[in-house]
């Protein structure tokens, strides 16, 4: 893959995308900064949203954009190109990088990655701008995802609501895999924890990065750059991504099986079958009307208090794609997953 194209890591929130981000960021020829959200809160959005996004990126990534770029009228690919030039290698002291460092860094190029779960609903826009980019889809057992989502501070939802979010995100990713099969690499969280060498080797090979034994060993050791993968305000729910792989995070739902398995499998059992996760509570049938109403009601409660920029982003996306602003079902499907660390 050409170094001029960024690669993208997406998946349902709490699926292990941050954990993979930390591992990939340890590679000497890859940089995966805090979530940029450029295809969510920049591309296609009003200028005031763009400006706010660029100021947040400056703070989160410890960079300094030129004044003309901060006006918010530059194309999204120009923003990525600027960031790529700014961090061509890990040899730069990231705490002291500024615009004066561009063009004076080591010659060894690296890949720029963007880990943003909200892109699960913006893949068509990414394809328009970067038709040769590559995408890594991270998937995790929905029962563990639901258990984790009910404990984060930015999403007030029930187990059913979390299961519905996982189901609709995975359906999006499965549809994308049918449209662009050669541009996608699947990473399963359970394998990333239990046998990281093989899962990382496959992902690195897919990206065109070195995957020899010394590199794989490096990726599994803590790095001084690990804490730079997300800002301090997100540490409360992302801190575990900095720790070594914990086998207890795999099938953690079994410790509370009665409260997790049945409601989750009733909502997203069919999608679990497609991906290859075995059910333990139900063996057939789909989501009942009662389950669907309860799950949607739970997600609807999560929409309360969304930042105005999120609503502007969703309306801009729907207007541009001709999907209609007032399709409440589709709005619900996207907006909840897109609000998570905004």
């Amino acid at each position: 893959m050409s170094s001029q194209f960024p690669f993208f890591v997406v998946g349902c929130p709490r699926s292990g995308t941050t954990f993979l981000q930390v591992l990939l960021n340890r590679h000497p020829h890859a940089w995966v900064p805090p979530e940029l959200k450029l295809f969510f809160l920049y591309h296609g959005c009003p200028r005031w949203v763009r400006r706010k996004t660029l100021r947040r990126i400056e703070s989160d990534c410890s960079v300094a954009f030129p004044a003309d770029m901060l006006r918010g009228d530059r194309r999204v690919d120009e923003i990525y190109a600027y960031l790529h030039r700014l961090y061509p290698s890990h040899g730069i002291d990231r705490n002291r990088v500024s615009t004066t460092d561009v063009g004076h860094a080591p010659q060894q190029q690296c890949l720029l990655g963007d880990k943003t779960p909200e892109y699960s609903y913006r893949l068509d826009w990414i394809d328009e701008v970067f038709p040769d980019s590559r995408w890594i889809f991270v998937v995790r057992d929905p029962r563990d995802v639901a258990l984790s989502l009910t404990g984060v501070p930015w999403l007030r939802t029930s187990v059913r609501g979390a299961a519905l979010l996982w189901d609709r995100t995975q359906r999006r990713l499965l549809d994308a895999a049918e449209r662009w099969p050669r541009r996608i690499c699947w990473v399963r969280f359970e394998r990333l924890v239990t046998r990281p060498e093989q899962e990382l080797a496959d992902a690195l090979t897919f990206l065109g990065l070195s995957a020899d034994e010394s590199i794989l060993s490096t990726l599994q050791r803590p790095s001084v750059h690990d804490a730079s993968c997300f800002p301090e305000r997100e540490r409360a729910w992302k801190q575990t991504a900095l720790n070594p792989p914990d086998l207890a995070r795999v099938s953690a739902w079994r410790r509370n099986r009665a409260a997790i398995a049945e409601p989750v499998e009733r909502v997203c059992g069919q999608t679990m079958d497609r991906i290859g996760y075995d059910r333990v509570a139900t063996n057939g049938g789909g989501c009942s009307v009662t389950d669907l109403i309860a799950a949607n009601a739970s997600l609807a409660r999560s929409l309360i208090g969304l930042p105005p920029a999120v609503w502007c982003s969703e309306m801009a996306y729907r207007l541009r794609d001709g999907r209609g602003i007032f399709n409440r079902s589709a709005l619900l499907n996207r907006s909840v997953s897109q609000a998570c660390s905004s």
Side-chain angles (χ1 to χ4, degrees), residues 103-114:
H104 301 286
Q107 295 299 312
Q108 178 66 59
Q109 292 294 306
C110 75
L111 294 183
L112 172 65
D114 185 355

Side-chain angles (χ1 to χ4, degrees), residues 7-12 14-24 115 120 134-142 145 166 169-170 173-174 177 181 183-207 216 219 250 275 277:
F7 66 90
F8 300 91
V9 178
V10 303
C12 182
R14 311 307 294 173
S15 289
T17 54
T18 303
F19 182 49
L20 179 61
Q21 171 195 15
V22 171
L23 296 178
L24 293 177
K115 189 281 292 187
S120 300
R134 297 187 181 182
W135 309 335
I136 296 179
F137 291 173
V138 184
V139 60
R140 185 183 184 187
D141 190 313
V145 171
W166 180 92
T169 302
Q170 294 310 135
L173 300 184
L174 289 169
R183 294 171 56 186
I184 294 166
C185 173
W186 289 90
V187 170
R188 189 163 296 213
F189 176 79
E190 292 78 15
R191 291 198 294 259
L192 188 62
V193 171
T194 58
R195 47 177 185 176
E197 294 85 359
Q198 184 59 53
E199 204 73 357
L200 284 171
D202 292 343
L204 294 176
T205 301
F206 170 75
L207 295 175
L216 293 176
L219 265 57
V250 177
I275 295 178
Y277 285 108

Side-chain angles (χ1 to χ4, degrees), residues 192-248:
L192 188 62
V193 171
T194 58
R195 47 177 185 176
E197 294 85 359
Q198 184 59 53
E199 204 73 357
L200 284 171
D202 292 343
L204 294 176
T205 301
F206 170 75
L207 295 175
L209 294 169
S210 174
D212 57 41
E213 291 185 5
S214 62
I215 291 291
L216 293 176
S217 177
T218 298
L219 265 57
Q220 297 178 68
R221 294 196 301 268
S223 165
V224 295
H225 299 303
D226 288 351
S228 68
C229 288
F230 48 83
E232 182 65 29
R233 67 177 181 276
E234 299 176 357
R235 185 171 294 275
W237 61 89
K238 291 186 176 181
Q239 178 67 35
T240 55
L242 303 181
N243 301 330
D246 185 2
L247 296 179

Side-chain angles (χ1 to χ4, degrees), residues 79-299:
I79 307 297
Y80 279 108
Y82 182 84
L83 289 171
H84 180 262
R85 293 195 305 271
L86 201 59
Y87 287 92
S89 82
H90 278 287
I92 300 176
D93 182 347
R94 294 182 176 178
N95 294 319
R96 293 182 293 178
V97 168
S98 67
T99 55
T100 59
D101 293 304
V102 178
H104 301 286
Q107 295 299 312
Q108 178 66 59
Q109 292 294 306
C110 75
L111 294 183
L112 172 65
D114 185 355
K115 189 281 292 187
T116 302
E118 293 91 334
Y119 292 169
S120 300
Y121 297 89
R122 294 290 192 269
L123 295 174
D124 48 348
W125 275 11
I126 296 177
D127 177 62
E128 291 175 6
V129 179
F130 296 114
D132 296 316
S133 61
R134 297 187 181 182
W135 309 335
I136 296 179
F137 291 173
V138 184
V139 60
R140 185 183 184 187
D141 190 313
R143 292 157 295 199
D144 281 330
V145 171
L147 181 64
S148 183
L149 277 174
T150 55
V152 295
W154 41 260
L155 185 67
R156 298 177 181 178
T157 188
S158 67
V159 170
R160 282 191 179 92
L164 185 62
L165 176 58
W166 180 92
D167 182 73
R168 292 179 173 170
T169 302
Q170 294 310 135
R171 288 177 182 269
R172 283 287 184 137
L173 300 184
L174 289 169
D175 289 344
E178 293 180 357
R179 294 176 61 188
W180 303 288
R182 296 184 178 180
R183 294 171 56 186
I184 294 166
C185 173
W186 289 90
V187 170
R188 189 163 296 213
F189 176 79
E190 292 78 15
R191 291 198 294 259
L192 188 62
V193 171
T194 58
R195 47 177 185 176
E197 294 85 359
Q198 184 59 53
E199 204 73 357
L200 284 171
D202 292 343
L204 294 176
T205 301
F206 170 75
L207 295 175
L209 294 169
S210 174
D212 57 41
E213 291 185 5
S214 62
I215 291 291
L216 293 176
S217 177
T218 298
L219 265 57
Q220 297 178 68
R221 294 196 301 268
S223 165
V224 295
H225 299 303
D226 288 351
S228 68
C229 288
F230 48 83
E232 182 65 29
R233 67 177 181 276
E234 299 176 357
R235 185 171 294 275
W237 61 89
K238 291 186 176 181
Q239 178 67 35
T240 55
L242 303 181
N243 301 330
D246 185 2
L247 296 179
R249 298 180 65 191
V250 177
S251 297
W253 61 270
R254 292 185 181 276
R255 294 191 290 270
N256 196 14
R257 173 171 172 167
I260 300 294
E262 178 71 23
V264 170
E265 293 178 18
R266 290 183 65 87
V267 171
C268 56
Q270 293 181 348
T271 306
M272 290 175 62
D273 295 340
R274 292 179 63 185
I275 295 178
Y277 285 108
D278 296 329
R279 306 192 211 183
V280 298
T282 59
N283 296 316
C287 182
S288 68
V289 174
T290 302
D291 290 325
L292 187 60
I293 292 174
N296 275 286
S298 176
L299 283 182

